[in-house]
Amino acid sequence: MRRLLLAAALLIASPAGADVTSPADGFPIWLANYKAAAQARGLKAEWLEAALSGATYSERAVQLDRSQPDDSGKRNIFADYLARQLTQQRIDDGLTRAADNRQTLLQVSAKTGVPPEIIVAIWGMETSYGRVLGGFDLPSAIATLAYDARREALFTRELDALVRMVGERGVRRDQLKGSWAGAFGQSQFLPSSYLNYAADGDGDGLADIWASQPDTFLSIGNYLAKNGWQRGLTWGFRVGVPQGFDRATVANPEKPVSCIRPMLVHSRWLTAAEWRAKGFVPLNAIWPADDVKMTLVEPDGPGEGAFLTTANYRAIMQYNCSNFYALSVALLGNALQPAFR
């Protein structure tokens, strides 16, 4: 329906005989309409002009958006994913970068309650420790994805947030570079996350997650702390499942309402004492306090590797709604702990 309406609008707005078959042709009209609607929502005209100057239709962003994994039935295996992500090079680089920034990371950890190795692990997973930030023009990419209509509501909100970044937080137009999906900086925040969690870690009055490592570290720690990270609590550990264990006895009776597919492999909450009583055994780890609630996560299904996880694991999933991602961050964090001993 949206495409039919757009086509009709283009025919009305275009001179007789003009070619309006390309999606790019309708983008300027959409952008003008967006600016008018955004002003009605309270965004200032000068913010919109400053943030969106030079924005153009990004065919590449649309292509990449439409090539994302789907429900095709192809099975992804966590061990394969982990082998690609948790490389010895990534661990070695992380240990070096952690050592180089040890004092700053310890200060951020003391302030936020998030262990320094988890902050470095997210930094490493997101941008290879600040090396890979993305080169897409953010206003063009985000506006294009809002215009494309597949995820119109999401990217319209993010475009509003991008405009507010420029108008309220003083972000320069030339800084607006990042991924095709709108994430940016060394922490790979979306604009809404920047507004909510980006923080000034070096005291210069700016939250520069592009160039400042102290700002990046504090922003990551702030994100996790505000999304449920509990100070002093582990994320969890690999666990041995007792022979013949009946998973139906710990199935979660509540259906997830967000992050649905990843959450389907989480059990209901039981205390550490209850899991221990059922015969579960930590692998290279120790039990937390008896009253700590934990869920069983088997990313590839029964018999393919299991983890008992706490609320802090769920905080990592708030960063990226994926068990593969969250476990990779957690295990990379384990590998980086020697830097802080």
Side-chain angles (χ1 to χ4, degrees), residues 1-278:
M1 176 61 73
R2 176 182 170 89
R3 282 299 178 216
L4 290 174
L5 292 174
L6 176 60
L10 288 171
L11 288 172
I12 293 170
S14 303
D19 180 10
V20 294
T21 60
S22 168
D25 293 334
F27 182 75
I29 299 171
W30 178 89
L31 191 60
N33 290 336
Y34 164 78
K35 290 178 181 179
Q39 287 187 63
R41 290 192 293 271
L43 298 181
K44 296 181 180 180
E46 57 267 30
W47 298 357
L48 289 157
E49 292 306 314
L52 301 177
S53 62
T56 59
Y57 181 79
S58 175
E59 182 177 357
R60 183 59 176 156
V62 174
Q63 291 172 343
L64 290 168
D65 185 54
R66 296 189 183 284
S67 67
Q68 291 306 288
D70 57 18
D71 296 324
S72 61
K74 181 180 178 181
R75 190 182 183 210
N76 295 311
I77 304 299
F78 175 60
D80 295 340
Y81 178 91
L82 188 65
R84 294 192 300 271
Q85 300 299 328
L86 193 61
T87 63
Q88 190 60 51
Q89 185 66 56
R90 178 164 278 168
I91 293 171
D92 291 344
D93 288 350
L95 289 169
T96 298
R97 303 303 292 276
D100 291 343
N101 296 278
R102 188 173 187 275
Q103 193 58 42
T104 299
L105 285 159
L106 289 173
Q107 291 171 353
V108 169
S109 179
K111 184 172 183 177
T112 64
V114 179
E117 65 269 16
I118 294 295
I119 294 172
V120 178
I122 287 180
W123 186 36
M125 286 288 291
E126 292 292 341
T127 60
S128 292
Y129 310 107
R131 295 190 187 97
V132 183
L133 303 186
F136 279 80
D137 179 62
L138 289 173
S140 296
I142 296 174
T144 295
L145 294 174
Y147 163 68
D148 183 59
R150 192 173 82 86
R151 292 187 283 173
E152 177 185 4
L154 167 64
F155 284 105
T156 299
R157 289 194 300 270
E158 292 302 333
L159 192 57
D160 283 0
L162 187 78
V163 172
R164 289 180 56 202
M165 283 171 49
V166 172
E168 297 175 354
R169 301 290 290 272
V171 175
R172 302 188 315 273
R173 177 64 177 86
D174 64 281
Q175 290 179 286
L176 299 180
K177 300 288 185 182
S179 78
W180 65 266
F184 55 88
Q186 297 188 44
S187 57
Q188 287 294 280
F189 279 178
L190 287 171
S192 59
S193 294
Y194 182 91
L195 294 177
N196 289 327
Y197 308 115
D200 175 17
D202 56 19
D204 66 355
L206 301 173
D208 184 359
I209 61 173
W210 292 269
S212 169
Q213 290 174 2
D215 290 5
T216 298
F217 301 153
L218 185 57
S219 297
I220 293 172
N222 194 37
Y223 187 105
L224 294 176
K226 290 185 175 180
N227 278 281
W229 190 277
Q230 297 180 25
R231 185 184 294 267
L233 181 65
T234 179
W235 66 266
F237 40 70
R238 290 184 185 270
V239 69
V241 179
Q243 186 74 23
F245 178 71
D246 183 3
R247 272 92 174 163
T249 63
V250 297
N252 190 350
E254 299 181 3
K255 299 300 181 183
V257 296
S258 62
C259 195
I260 294 174
R261 290 182 63 195
M263 291 301 299
L264 288 174
V265 300
H266 288 230
S267 75
R268 63 187 174 92
W269 293 102
L270 295 176
T271 65
E274 289 172 317
W275 288 113
R276 186 169 61 247
K278 290 180 180 294

Side-chain angles (χ1 to χ4, degrees), residues 78 82 86 114-115 117-118 121 224 229-239 266 269 283-286 288 292-297 299 306-317 323 325-335 337:
F78 175 60
L82 188 65
L86 193 61
V114 179
E117 65 269 16
I118 294 295
L224 294 176
W229 190 277
Q230 297 180 25
R231 185 184 294 267
L233 181 65
T234 179
W235 66 266
F237 40 70
R238 290 184 185 270
V239 69
H266 288 230
W269 293 102
L283 304 180
N284 298 317
I286 60 174
V292 171
K293 291 185 176 181
M294 308 186 80
T295 56
L296 178 66
V297 177
F307 301 82
L308 283 176
T309 66
T310 71
N312 284 351
Y313 176 81
R314 298 284 180 92
I316 299 174
M317 289 188 73
N323 287 303
Y325 173 85
L327 287 170
S328 297
V329 165
L331 294 171
L332 177 57
N334 286 359
Q337 285 179 345

